[in-house]
Amino acid sequence: MKNRLTIKNQATEPFLSPQAPILSVKGLGRKVDQYWIWCNLNFELFSGEKVAVLGASGSGKSLLLRALAGLDQTQAGRIIFRGKSIDAWYIPTWRSQIIYLHQRPALWEGTVESNLKQVYRLKTNHHLVYNRASILDYLRLLRKDGDFLQRPISAISGGEAQIVAFLRALQLAPKILLLDEPTASLDAQTTSSLEALVTAWQAKDPQRAYLWTSHDPSQLRRITNRQISLREKIDGN
């Protein structure tokens, strides 16, 4: 008998959009060694949605988000963003529009601001310009001033490192955020600040959407309006 996982949509609130989905997953499957972690996953993500990804430990939630971000390969199915399959996209562009954030960000040496500017050196972001005013707007929301930008990375806390990772991603104006337990190790105040940051990011563009995993049911009730659940199915064939 092999363990498989299928996906079930559970709408906590009806969400009906007249527009085409911003992201579509069709028959997606992921193997580890000879076993399917999940297979035949099908769901759609629409502009403006706030979606919780649920599942037991080991059900492959992180693997799903990494696959959607173009960080891991899958062995079956298709991922379609804005009408084009992932195979038809320049992958760095895909990853700048669908950004994966988790609880252990990797930051470069230097200051907070040098970390924010670093991403503009990437070829795929050459058409973008660092906008300090926009970053300061986000910092005001976090009750931080411009001095935070001059702090060395070596001197910031774990929660502040997560704030830098969020700012670094949000400044690129992605269409989709994939949030993989990003506040799991943070205190309540920093968690609230990051939730507010994501809310502000989404409010700037009605086409933006996110998927969020969390072991905290109360957090998911606060920040999501729909669920997709990975659930185990035993295949006896």
Side-chain angles (χ1 to χ4, degrees):
M1 296 175 70
K2 294 182 291 185
N3 286 335
R4 287 187 178 179
L5 290 165
T6 58
I7 204 159
K8 179 178 71 173
N9 261 324
Q10 296 178 322
T12 55
E13 294 181 9
F15 188 96
L16 302 175
S17 172
Q19 303 174 347
I22 188 173
L23 184 76
S24 298
V25 169
K26 299 180 182 294
L28 204 65
R30 171 70 191 270
K31 270 185 176 180
V32 173
D33 297 325
Q34 71 272 36
Y35 298 104
W36 290 100
I37 300 299
W38 32 256
C39 65
N40 195 32
L41 302 188
N42 298 278
F43 65 91
E44 295 176 331
L45 180 69
F46 289 87
S47 297
E49 283 202 294
K50 309 169 185 182
V51 179
V53 180
L54 305 182
S57 179
S59 62
K61 299 186 296 296
S62 295
L63 292 178
L64 175 59
L65 296 191
R66 289 182 57 83
L68 296 179
L71 297 172
D72 290 349
Q73 292 186 338
T74 55
Q75 286 70 52
R78 300 174 66 206
I79 306 171
I80 300 166
F81 173 57
R82 304 183 78 174
K84 290 169 54 179
S85 173
I86 188 172
D87 298 331
W89 283 83
Y90 177 53
I91 287 299
T93 300
W94 177 283
R95 290 175 182 164
S96 70
Q97 288 296 292
I98 305 176
I99 295 183
Y100 175 76
L101 290 166
H102 55 97
Q103 60 180 293
R104 288 181 292 274
L107 301 177
W108 292 289
E109 293 183 6
T111 66
V112 168
E113 190 161 36
S114 68
N115 264 263
L116 301 180
K117 291 180 175 180
Q118 185 72 22
V119 295
Y120 294 96
R121 298 180 182 178
L122 302 176
K123 181 179 178 181
T124 192
N125 297 327
H126 278 180
H127 65 293
L128 301 174
V129 178
Y130 174 64
N131 187 336
R132 197 173 199 265
S134 177
I135 294 297
L136 290 174
D137 285 343
Y138 279 134
L139 288 178
R140 279 191 283 272
L141 181 67
L142 299 169
R143 297 182 177 86
K144 292 183 178 295
D145 58 30
D147 291 344
F148 179 69
L149 296 177
Q150 305 312 313
R151 295 271 301 280
I153 292 299
S154 59
I156 64 176
S157 68
E160 289 172 330
Q162 192 66 296
I163 286 173
V164 176
F166 270 59
L167 293 173
R168 190 172 60 184
L170 300 189
Q171 68 181 343
L172 298 178
K175 291 298 183 186
I176 297 173
L177 287 181
L178 305 171
L179 298 142
D180 188 5
E181 296 279 354
T183 63
S185 59
L186 304 182
D187 59 64
Q189 182 176 346
T190 307
T191 293
S192 178
S193 294
L194 290 178
E195 290 175 5
L197 200 59
V198 172
T199 298
W201 158 81
Q202 191 174 41
K204 288 186 175 184
D205 184 346
Q207 293 188 359
R208 294 173 179 173
Y210 60 76
L211 298 170
W212 197 313
T213 72
S214 175
H215 284 101
D216 182 355
S218 64
Q219 181 180 53
L220 293 179
R221 285 193 295 270
R222 284 195 306 272
I223 61 174
T224 65
N225 58 12
R226 186 164 70 88
Q227 302 173 353
I228 53 177
S229 295
L230 294 171
R231 59 176 183 174
E232 188 173 8
K233 179 182 178 183
I234 303 299
D235 181 13
N237 296 329

